[in-house]
Amino acid sequence: MAVLKRMLPTAIAIAVGVFVLAAVFTSDPRLDAFGTYLIDTAVIIAAFALFLGLVNVSRVHARRIRERGPGRLYSFVLLAAMLIVLAIGLPPFSDQPSGPSQPAVQWIFENIQVPIQASLSALLAFFVITAAYRLLRIRNLEAIVMLIVTLLVLVGQITLGLLPVLPDIQDWILAVPAMAGVRGILLGVALGAILTGIRLLLGVERPYGD
Amino acid sequence: MEEIGLGLLLVSVPILFFLTSRVRAGKAGALRSLPGLEQLPAAIGRSAETGQPLHVSVGVAGVGGSITAETWAGLTLLAHVADEAAACDTPLIVTVADPTVLPIAQDILRRAYARYGNPEGYDPTSVRLIAPNSMAYAAGVAGLLEREPLTANIMVGSFGDEYLLMGETGARQGVHQVVGVADPQTLPFVYASADETLVGEEMFAGGAYTTRLPIQIGSLLTEDLARWFVVLAIVLIAILKILL
């Protein structure tokens, strides 16, 4: 029984993976339909994870409030906001819209969530400056090379016409060494992802099981 | 493109088994040095000594999308960190952005504590869903990095520009940071703020370095071999294009 309990999830995971992969690489309509069915099933199961998330958020923040931990006021605001949005989103009458299409929920989204997210995105500009400062303080060869390249690219953007060669240098840096580096990284990532997929299909990589 | 993908897949499997058999026979060379992964036991040790928690993030993506492999790389590393944390009774805080990762991360921690004979040590709230939105997740993690006295911040998975909010906060707090990302646009930010970086494919090597299983090492060697093949193909095609 213990062996079955250990092996069954892995066997199901491998079988589903093989079927979906076969559906991608073949044009058989039955296999294609079965692959689509398996993906749809996974989407439905994944939707249930949202409920688990809701329970997790409630538990973590309720505990912080109960234990009077640091930031408990934020936890209270978070739980209150969650419950208010949930209550508003639930349909009071069957003929009224519910969920994200509910006008009050849309108002909250457009007037509270979107401005806060925009503010956070705007903060990134300042974080970029502090990150650049931190990077340039590092005294090694890589930092010096990065400083020179950054200055060349920045000056190349300025179209004052003082040094017409600078935009050409900037274009060359972006098109040749920078692009080569990016492609190298992306190729490595693609190979790593393929091998991870193979390990998953073979049941080697399974942090979900013993 | 599908044919190329299928070809790569079919060619990789026998090479993987061949190289795994060589590893089992002790004929494979040593793994190249990856300081980011080699520093992990020291970070876990420091956490055990001080009693301050470690923070692990597996990125802002979930499982089931096109970048599942990156999330999986983070989960593989989490499995190792959870084992070490359970063995040393080190407090661990895991944050996730996608609800699909939540039960997997909880299960990893629960099993790790059970394996080391301490199932009561597992606290389900040590895995926290912060927010499904990447910017909101980053703000939540930045708050955690400021509030909690952490010894290390391990972040391996899919991250975009929002990484800066977390990485810079961690650097300002003086937390030892080990970060692995695959997105080339995020890498400069990681390089600026993290103590140890896992660049691109290095983040997928976590399993080989932490478990030392022959098939994991064989997989890493297959990846290296495939990369050399791609480099050779690019050079050959370039030469042919110049000559013809």
Side-chain angles (χ1 to χ4, degrees), chain B residues 34-49 53-57 73-85 88 90 92 151-156 176-180 195-198 202-203 205-212:
Chain B
L34 283 181
L37 293 171
E38 288 162 3
Q39 293 287 322
L40 276 182
I44 296 164
R46 270 198 305 277
S47 187
E49 281 171 15
L54 281 166
H55 170 244
V56 181
S57 166
L75 288 167
T76 305
L77 210 61
L78 171 65
H80 169 70
V81 175
D83 272 347
E84 297 277 321
C88 309
T90 306
L92 196 62
T151 45
N153 177 29
I154 301 161
M155 304 173 85
V156 175
H176 184 82
Q177 302 198 102
V178 179
V179 184
D195 299 280
E196 305 292 344
T197 52
L198 296 170
E202 287 176 0
M203 61 190 272
Y209 280 83
T210 55
T211 65
R212 298 272 165 181

Side-chain angles (χ1 to χ4, degrees), chain A residues 20 23 29-42:
Chain A
V20 173
R30 283 170 303 175
L31 206 57
D32 202 34
F34 189 55
T36 309
Y37 168 76
L38 288 173
I39 291 169
D40 288 345
T41 309

Side-chain angles (χ1 to χ4, degrees), chain B residues 23-232:
Chain B
V23 174
R24 280 208 181 96
K27 289 177 182 170
L31 294 175
R32 65 181 186 274
S33 172
L34 283 181
L37 293 171
E38 288 162 3
Q39 293 287 322
L40 276 182
I44 296 164
R46 270 198 305 277
S47 187
E49 281 171 15
T50 59
Q52 293 178 335
L54 281 166
H55 170 244
V56 181
S57 166
V58 293
V60 295
V63 287
S66 58
I67 43 177
T68 300
E70 291 171 34
T71 309
W72 210 262
L75 288 167
T76 305
L77 210 61
L78 171 65
H80 169 70
V81 175
D83 272 347
E84 297 277 321
C88 309
D89 205 17
T90 306
L92 196 62
I93 299 173
V94 183
T95 59
V96 299
D98 194 288
T100 54
V101 185
L102 180 71
I104 303 173
Q106 283 180 327
D107 196 44
I108 287 171
L109 254 67
R110 188 181 58 79
R111 284 172 189 272
Y113 279 95
R115 252 196 304 275
Y116 284 90
N118 183 22
E120 295 84 21
Y122 165 65
D123 175 9
T125 58
S126 56
V127 183
R128 304 173 188 174
L129 174 75
I130 303 290
N133 178 284
S134 59
M135 199 53 88
Y137 171 78
V141 171
L144 183 126
L145 291 169
E146 276 192 354
R147 257 195 326 271
E148 303 271 353
L150 302 166
T151 45
N153 177 29
I154 301 161
M155 304 173 85
V156 175
S158 169
F159 294 101
D161 294 343
E162 75 283 342
Y163 164 79
L164 252 186
L165 280 178
M166 303 176 274
E168 273 300 292
T169 308
R172 216 170 43 239
Q173 297 293 321
V175 180
H176 184 82
Q177 302 198 102
V178 179
V179 184
V181 292
D183 185 358
Q185 290 192 340
T186 314
L187 275 172
F189 304 147
V190 174
Y191 186 69
S193 58
D195 299 280
E196 305 292 344
T197 52
L198 296 170
V199 180
E201 91 271 9
E202 287 176 0
M203 61 190 272
F204 299 105
Y209 280 83
T210 55
T211 65
R212 298 272 165 181
L213 285 171
I215 190 123
Q216 291 276 8
I217 297 171
S219 166
L220 189 62
L221 294 175
T222 309
E223 199 182 310
D224 285 347
L225 192 73
R227 193 171 52 249
W228 279 112
F229 175 75
V230 170
V231 169
L232 203 68

